[in-house]
Amino acid sequence: MSNLAAGAAPGKVILFGEHAVVYGRPAVAAALEHGLGASAEPDDEGPTLRIPGWGKSGMVVRLAAPNKAFDAIARAYAAALDAAELGRPPVCLTLDGELPLGVGLGSSAAFAVAILRALADFRGRPFSPAELLEAAATVETVFHGTPSGLDHTVVADGGCLRFQKDAEPAFTPVKLPAPVPLVVAWTLRQGSTRDVVAGLRARRDAHPAAYDRLFDLMAQTAEAGIAALEAGDHAALGALFDINHGLLNACGVSNLENERMVRVARDAGALGAKLTGAGMGGAVIAVVPERPARVVGALRDAGFSAFATRVG
Ligand code: PMV
């Protein structure tokens, strides 16, 4: 059976400013070369969604026969069909790609944008950029409650953006002279983004002055990081990753696995490394302009998943 329609979307990494962004400081995020692709085929039992790479042995979600284990995915798929004004068509979407689920690499935003693009292609009418953002926000809300908008904006835009929630405009482009070579590694997370954010909130409420100084230092690091990104200065970028990681560690959001991944990457030749996203496991990113295979190999030998990629 031939494909009817297709759509794709990249994953994302936060380069600077996770957690501090919750307290009004700037963050920088960029689209990954790695992402997800969705293709649509006719399916009499549809709407169906297949995701062979997620879950223990892949996921198959049929809206007519819901499986409780994949309830959030089913609701997100239904929200995407509604946003595309497609009703419940006899179609099967298959989602493929190399983006792991739930480690902070923007899998839910890439899920939203890739399936929305495939559904728009299927109906024969693309979303405008503003419609795509609005629809992606609706789908993301199923997973995250109140997303900041950073993930799906970066994923839909495909570039590198500075984000500050109370600024006007909230998003400004960071102009990269060339894509930035990164190695991404990940492991399972201990708890959700929500849990990690809540834990930090409690620590900050107990010691506001100390934590606010850490957030100010993260803001300075993010601004210096933007300068390094715009200059294409990999050495400065690596040094600033290391500083940002130390500050995140001081905030209590780095666990032993994050520390091991960062250490292994640096020892194997990375110019700098930090956790990315919420932390307590999940993903780390390292600046590796030369011999990325060595860093990927060292991380895999240490028991982690890893790939070399580029952002922006
Ligand atoms: O790990 P992710 O992709 O869910 O990112 C979380 C980023 C935080 O700054 C920790 C939370 C937030 O809402 O910005």
Side-chain angles (χ1 to χ4, degrees):
M1 197 182 291
S2 67
N3 286 344
L4 285 177
K12 73 95 199 8
V13 284
I14 299 179
L15 298 173
F16 292 102
E18 51 275 272
H19 288 291
V21 72
V22 173
Y23 300 87
R25 280 31 168 222
V28 182
L32 283 171
E33 208 171 51
H34 287 61
L36 298 175
S39 55
E41 306 175 308
D43 174 12
D44 290 341
E45 294 175 65
T48 308
L49 181 64
R50 287 177 201 282
I51 316 179
W54 286 0
K56 280 205 183 74
S57 49
M59 296 180 181
V60 179
V61 177
R62 281 189 210 289
L63 291 194
N67 173 343
K68 273 229 153 40
F70 306 142
D71 181 53
I73 301 262
R75 283 185 290 121
Y77 185 30
L81 287 163
D82 292 342
E85 297 172 333
L86 277 168
R88 296 290 176 265
V91 69
C92 175
L93 282 192
T94 301
L95 200 66
D96 280 316
E98 292 167 288
L99 215 54
L101 178 64
V103 299
L105 297 177
S107 56
S108 60
F111 169 96
V113 173
I115 67 172
L116 285 164
R117 285 184 172 146
L119 292 174
D121 195 23
F122 172 74
R123 73 181 180 181
R125 180 166 50 88
F127 288 106
S128 71
E131 286 168 347
L132 181 65
L133 283 180
E134 196 188 324
T138 310
V139 178
E140 269 259 274
T141 299
V142 174
F143 293 113
H144 289 312
T146 48
S148 66
L150 178 61
D151 276 28
H152 64 258
T153 305
V154 169
V155 162
D157 175 271
C160 182
L161 295 174
R162 178 190 190 277
F163 170 70
Q164 192 166 6
K165 69 177 180 189
D166 300 322
E168 186 53 55
F171 292 96
T172 46
V174 175
K175 294 193 185 68
L176 306 176
V180 181
L182 295 183
V183 166
V184 178
W186 70 92
T187 184
L188 288 182
R189 263 185 177 171
Q190 291 175 335
S192 64
T193 296
R194 199 182 299 238
D195 299 334
V196 184
V197 169
L200 177 54
R201 170 79 61 190
R203 292 190 291 281
R204 188 249 180 192
D205 286 350
H207 301 283
Y211 281 94
D212 287 347
R213 290 195 65 182
L214 291 172
F215 299 147
D216 285 340
L217 287 169
M218 287 195 231
Q220 276 178 30
T221 308
E223 301 297 5
I226 290 172
L229 286 163
E230 293 193 330
D233 185 340
H234 294 148
L237 190 64
L240 292 161
F241 271 21
D242 287 345
I243 292 169
N244 198 160
H245 183 75
L247 295 167
L248 288 162
N249 181 310
C251 286
V253 299
S254 178
N255 73 3
L256 198 54
E257 310 259 78
N258 294 121
E259 295 305 313
R260 280 187 62 220
M261 287 189 277
V262 161
R263 171 57 49 206
V264 169
R266 289 176 188 154
D267 287 351
L271 299 183
K274 67 181 281 288
L275 71 81
T276 181
M280 297 310 283
V284 306
I285 50 176
V287 185
V288 191
E290 275 162 37
R291 303 183 63 192
R294 195 172 132 180
V295 176
V296 169
L299 285 158
R300 288 185 181 158
D301 288 348
F304 300 108
S305 303
F307 56 62
T309 187
R310 299 185 306 168
V311 297

